[in-house]
Amino acid sequence: MQQYSGFGLFKHSLSHHENWQRVWRNPIPKSHYDVVIVGGGGHGLATAYYLAKNHGITNIAVVEKGYLGGGNTARNTTIVRSNYLWDEAAQLYEHALKLWEGLAQELNYNLMFSQRGVLNLGHTLQDMRDIERRVNANRLNGIDSEVLNTEQVQQLVPILDCSKNTRYPILGASWQPRGGTARHDAVAWGYARAANALGVDLLQQTEVIGMRTQDGVISGVETNRGFISANKVACVTAGNSSVLANMVGLQLPLESHPLQAMVSEPLKPILDTVVMSNHVHGYISQSDKGDLVIGAGIDSYLGYGQRGSLNVLEHTAAAIIEMFPIFSRVRINRTWGGIVDTCPDACPIISKTPIKGLYFNCGWGTGGFKATPGSGHVFAHTIAHDNPHPLAKPFSLDRFISGQLIDEHGAAGVAH
Ligand SMILES: Cc1cc2nc3c(=O)[nH]c(=O)nc-3n(C[C@H](O)[C@H](O)[C@H](O)COP(=O)(O)OP(=O)(O)OC[C@H]3O[C@@H](n4cnc5c(N)ncnc54)[C@H](O)[C@@H]3O)c2cc1C
């Protein structure tokens, strides 16, 4: 560690960003790459990392129109869990959760991954039947999942209003102890640093404005810094995926909606699990800084503005106070929005396309952060082999033709 005299300390306090070592290079784009990944969010960066590490493909560029991790990766409420209903989805998210469990060590980066457990509350008999069905399905898939009664919920979260005289009494919950939260930015930075170390070029401020194909085969991307040719192009652009698809005349079964979240002023530690309720329609956790991190459902209209309507935030705040009257006088510090790309079955698309060499990973809607490592891992395999990874196969575009949809609306529930 560098030692400073009193004067040195004063001098460095004024020149705080000097001589800092770059965590990744800032390369000039090459004219050709084996693979161009469009979108430098967590999923795009994870894809680049696993392509280089597991498949030995290192001549890769990640092309990002803004800064790395500045899209939904920076805007989400960081909830991680794998308790989805159907086998296909549960196995994909569980694959991701298992990767999360070793990721900080693998990337040698503190991701602040915290397995503090996730509660999904039930307020009606039908909620409880749905919870029991999902917990049973989870257990058959080897996923940790339990049904708790009201007393057990109250024991876990003493500040939750579990009294009988509420408008939506809490009858029980599902509980996934291995679920929790992670630091969103750190995930992007950890993957970016590791991908850079393996030789991947991370091109920021580089926007894809067109794509070239020849005889049904992708040949590269047009960017604001010129044309970059590529053998394969993989789009991982979340809420902007339809725009990218449109560049090659493809239509994806996606709708792009605003999704909002908010944080309160910081509080002393008071809530040490994640609490969600599909019924009252809100969810909450407490960040390590002390802020209450709160989110709810999408704004119903479509749009590309990274903001939403006040009535949705009001509804969300009301839902949280319904469950936690103790928070009624906590002040909200900030609200924001992202654009989420939702599929008709609330499941993602991880797929080849009718254009050879062009792949899409999108449609994660309101809940893709938790999938980041798993998504990158199976997508990298799909790109490298030009054949879907077994866990990705059910999520190919074909399902919208065959009708084999995987309806996860119940488990996707309140946006998270
Ligand atoms: C408010 C909110 C709360 C959420 N909460 C949760 C949660 O608690 N848990 C959970 O699991 N998920 C949550 N999500 C969803 C989650 O954030 C996303 O599913 C996930 O982050 C998607 O990651 P990504 O890397 O695909 O997308 P992004 O991080 O959005 O990355 C896509 C990148 O593509 C870039 N891009 C777009 N177009 C172009 C172009 N033409 N050229 C170059 N680059 C381009 C964008 O700038 C962006 O950086 C939430 C989302 C929001 C908005």
Side-chain angles (χ1 to χ4, degrees), residues 104-413:
Q105 285 78 7
E106 175 167 351
L107 300 178
N108 188 23
Y109 208 93
N110 183 3
L111 307 176
M112 296 167 77
F113 180 50
S114 157
Q115 291 181 291
R116 59 184 68 183
V118 174
L119 276 173
N120 284 82
L121 303 181
H123 304 267
T124 65
L125 288 177
Q126 187 57 45
D127 278 358
M128 290 312 296
R129 285 184 203 113
D130 292 343
I131 282 175
E132 277 165 31
R133 179 184 181 211
R134 182 140 64 92
V135 166
N136 286 335
N138 290 161
R139 292 169 82 113
L140 288 171
N141 272 312
I143 294 169
D144 59 318
S145 199
E146 290 169 44
V147 181
L148 303 188
N149 62 27
T150 315
E151 290 70 40
Q152 290 168 310
V153 172
Q154 185 78 86
Q155 246 181 350
L156 264 175
V157 190
I159 57 169
L160 191 58
D161 186 358
C162 290
S163 61
K164 289 203 171 65
N165 296 329
T166 54
R167 192 153 38 139
Y168 301 103
I170 294 164
L171 304 188
S174 73
W175 168 240
Q176 185 178 24
R178 284 165 60 246
T181 57
R183 172 75 199 275
H184 44 9
D185 301 318
V187 178
W189 299 335
Y191 273 123
R193 188 177 73 155
N196 170 76
L198 292 168
V200 173
D201 280 359
L202 305 172
L203 309 175
Q204 302 188 75
Q205 307 293 327
T206 311
E207 180 170 3
V208 170
I209 49 178
M211 284 194 245
R212 274 194 215 166
T213 61
Q214 206 176 359
D215 303 328
V217 182
I218 196 81
S219 56
V221 292
E222 308 279 0
T223 78
N224 57 341
R225 298 169 78 182
F227 177 70
I228 303 176
S229 88
N231 302 343
K232 296 182 177 181
V233 173
C235 297
V236 203
T237 44
N240 289 285
S241 299
S242 302
V243 179
L244 271 290
N246 200 30
M247 292 176 186
V248 284
L250 277 180
Q251 259 198 324
L252 296 175
L254 293 175
E255 286 185 351
S256 298
H257 290 268
L259 176 65
Q260 301 182 82
M262 53 185 151
V263 288
S264 73
E265 60 189 337
L267 307 177
K268 290 263 165 66
I270 187 163
L271 180 63
D272 62 1
T273 57
V274 178
V275 179
M276 11 189 46
S277 164
N278 288 1
H279 200 96
V280 213
H281 217 229
Y283 64 93
I284 183 165
S285 68
Q286 188 173 21
S287 77
D288 294 313
K289 259 192 323 189
D291 319 353
L292 300 175
V293 183
I294 296 169
I298 53 174
D299 277 55
S300 53
Y301 60 88
L302 307 180
Y304 287 108
Q306 289 181 318
R307 61 184 175 275
S309 323
L310 185 62
N311 68 309
V312 175
L313 294 175
E314 280 182 317
H315 171 88
T316 309
I320 297 303
I321 291 164
E322 181 72 32
M323 296 185 278
F324 294 94
I326 191 175
F327 292 147
S328 64
R329 287 162 65 192
V330 172
R331 281 170 293 228
I332 293 301
N333 250 359
R334 277 184 306 119
T335 76
W336 67 91
I339 316 158
V340 296
D341 51 340
T342 57
C343 266
D345 58 357
C347 272
I349 295 168
I350 308 172
S351 189
K352 296 168 67 169
T353 68
I355 295 165
K356 193 158 173 39
L358 179 65
Y359 308 82
F360 269 87
N361 180 338
C362 56
W364 293 94
T366 59
F369 174 70
K370 64 177 75 65
T372 305
S375 158
H377 187 265
V378 301
F379 195 41
H381 175 108
T382 305
I383 299 163
H385 296 273
D386 193 34
N387 210 11
H389 184 285
L391 290 175
K393 202 162 190 290
F395 300 95
S396 78
L397 275 167
D398 300 348
R399 78 180 189 274
F400 299 101
I401 296 163
S402 68
Q404 285 176 301
L405 302 186
I406 308 157
D407 188 349
E408 280 293 356
H409 278 103

Side-chain angles (χ1 to χ4, degrees), residues 39 42-43 64-65 72-73 76-79 208 238 366-370:
H43 289 232
E64 166 54 50
K65 70 175 175 183
N72 286 349
T73 300
N76 75 84
T77 45
T78 81
I79 290 160
V208 170
T366 59
F369 174 70
K370 64 177 75 65

